[in-house]
Amino acid sequence: MTDFNYHEIDDVIHSRIRTAIMAVLISVDEAEFTFIREKINATDGNLSVHLKKLEEKGYISVRKEFVERKPLSRYRITDTGRKAFEEYIKKLENIIKSNLK
Amino acid sequence: MIDSNQVHDAADRAEQELSFIKKVMEDSKKVTVDNGMGFIIWGIISISGIIFTYIDYYMNIGIGSLYIWISVFAVGILYILISVYRGGKRERVKTLAGSILGSVWISCLVASGFMLLIPVFVDLMPSNVTLTTVLFTIGIGYYISSSVADFKWIRYNAYVWWLTGFLNLILIFPHSQMIYLGSLLIFFQIIPGLIIYKRWKKEISAGKSALKL
């Protein structure tokens, strides 16, 4: 028996697609919607829902503008998001470590 | 409290999750931070400068190489301002490497522009020394670019530009100097630009990642 608790992990990040979004955004300064979509192979609708969830939590921010009459949404990770993602990675590492004990 | 089997399962999943994150991050970082157009355009503009200098010198027009090169720089800087304005809006992804690369080349160009202006205000340096300082500055730009943009082969360009800067002090005849500089621009400015452009185009058309969610 161990005192390890898997439920301490951040539920907002702990979803395949949201983890991927966070991993993309932590690697770049700012990314346009289509770039994220291509990098994680997601559909427009699915991606929008997950981006919204991360945005509501304050993990990412969005900047919307029109370029040549086309709407563009640019996303970037916030400081809160960066801290949360780092924390998430740390938790995963701790899980692995506790298995080695 | 949970038992050790659950911990083992969780550890397996955590390991998979970490390797997934690593893969996504590596894939996202594989972005060509420059499309090479700057190299190509500056190469063409500089070759035009060489041709104008050649015509001016051999036909005794009397404009003077200094004023020709100041005009060349003005056209080049105008191109940069337009491309920064237009390209920045169309850019799909911004990276730290891209910002550093842009800043490095803009600072190299500003420094080179001022070096070209030195003989206008003070009779401090002969024109070939001025050109040498410009060539050394271009070499610095290439050297930093090779590390920042992960174009390792561009480092050799830096060595060539530095060597050229040095040779420029020895090759005092405008004819040979211009031919040498022209070839250098084709092989170490325009062609690398075309290689980067091809890589960038390939990346854009490839688009989708191999990632499976």
Side-chain angles (χ1 to χ4, degrees):
Chain A
M1 297 289 272
T2 168
D3 58 356
F4 156 77
N5 188 356
Y6 195 76
H7 299 288
E8 277 177 11
I9 235 156
D10 189 333
D11 279 341
V12 179
I13 299 176
H14 192 59
S15 128
R16 203 63 157 165
I17 192 159
R18 289 194 292 270
T19 308
I21 294 168
M22 292 296 279
V24 169
L25 292 178
I26 209 153
S27 315
V28 299
D29 273 359
E30 192 178 62
E32 205 252 306
F33 183 88
T34 56
F35 178 83
I36 305 170
R37 188 188 62 198
E38 283 165 13
K39 287 290 166 194
I40 67 173
N41 272 347
T43 61
D44 283 7
N46 200 11
L47 180 60
S48 299
V49 170
H50 290 286
L51 283 167
K52 191 82 194 155
K53 235 172 221 178
L54 290 168
E55 199 193 328
E56 280 167 359
K57 187 76 182 175
Y59 287 176
I60 61 170
S61 64
V62 62
R63 187 164 62 89
K64 294 185 184 208
E65 59 180 352
F66 280 89
V67 175
E68 290 163 2
R69 294 183 191 172
K70 286 179 190 162
L72 285 184
S73 302
R74 299 180 195 276
Y75 295 88
R76 60 167 64 222
I77 201 159
T78 61
D79 287 342
T80 316
R82 194 173 293 275
K83 272 179 204 155
F85 193 67
E86 282 165 4
E87 195 60 36
Y88 178 72
I89 303 275
K90 252 185 225 168
K91 289 258 165 71
L92 292 177
E93 284 168 347
N94 287 341
I95 294 168
I96 297 166
K97 273 180 205 162
S98 35
N99 182 48
L100 297 173
K101 278 179 193 172
Chain B
M1 300 287 274
I2 52 177
D3 64 39
S4 57
N5 277 343
Q6 281 175 295
V7 174
H8 189 73
D9 270 3
D12 274 353
R13 277 189 285 158
E15 244 175 272
Q16 284 169 16
E17 191 77 358
L18 277 178
S19 62
F20 171 74
I21 291 167
K22 198 177 160 207
K23 192 173 182 295
V24 178
M25 287 176 74
E26 277 170 2
D27 190 50
S28 304
K29 278 179 183 167
K30 274 185 213 157
V31 179
T32 304
V33 294
D34 193 85
N35 64 8
M37 280 309 281
F39 292 92
I40 300 166
I41 301 288
W42 268 93
I44 293 169
I45 291 171
S46 307
I47 286 178
S48 317
I50 290 172
I51 294 167
F52 283 127
T53 311
Y54 189 89
I55 293 168
D56 180 59
Y57 186 82
Y58 285 99
M59 291 186 169
N60 286 321
I61 296 172
I63 300 169
S65 62
L66 187 69
Y67 293 102
I68 289 171
W69 284 101
I70 288 170
S71 313
V72 163
F73 260 73
V75 173
I77 284 166
L78 191 69
Y79 159 76
I80 286 179
L81 293 174
I82 293 168
S83 65
V84 165
Y85 177 74
R86 294 185 67 185
K89 283 196 164 189
R90 286 182 189 160
E91 225 169 31
R92 293 171 70 234
V93 60
K94 279 185 186 160
T95 58
L96 180 65
S99 312
I100 294 172
L101 199 67
S103 307
V104 164
W105 279 104
I106 286 175
S107 50
C108 283
L109 287 169
V110 169
S112 303
F114 280 124
M115 282 172 210
L116 280 174
L117 284 174
I118 291 173
V120 178
F121 299 108
V122 279
D123 195 15
L124 202 67
M125 282 198 281
S127 62
N128 63 327
V129 179
T130 308
L131 186 59
T132 292
T133 56
V134 171
L135 296 173
F136 284 165
T137 312
I138 294 172
I140 294 170
Y142 273 114
Y143 196 84
I144 300 173
S145 299
S146 72
S147 307
V148 174
D150 201 23
F151 301 137
K152 298 286 176 228
W153 52 274
I154 271 194
R155 187 158 293 186
Y156 298 108
N157 276 27
Y159 301 143
V160 172
W161 285 102
W162 285 332
L163 182 70
T164 305
F166 179 71
L167 287 176
N168 184 57
L169 299 170
I170 305 162
L171 295 164
I172 49 165
F173 304 105
H175 189 81
S176 56
Q177 195 182 39
M178 281 181 228
I179 291 170
Y180 185 71
L181 276 176
S183 336
L184 210 76
L185 282 164
I186 292 169
F187 291 106
F188 295 96
Q189 178 88 13
I190 297 176
I191 291 177
L194 288 169
I195 294 169
I196 297 168
Y197 182 74
K198 211 176 154 190
R199 182 168 140 179
W200 177 79
K201 203 80 182 157
K202 199 176 158 190
E203 196 177 89
I204 293 288
S205 57
K208 288 190 174 181
S209 97
L211 200 70
K212 295 270 183 291
L213 287 171

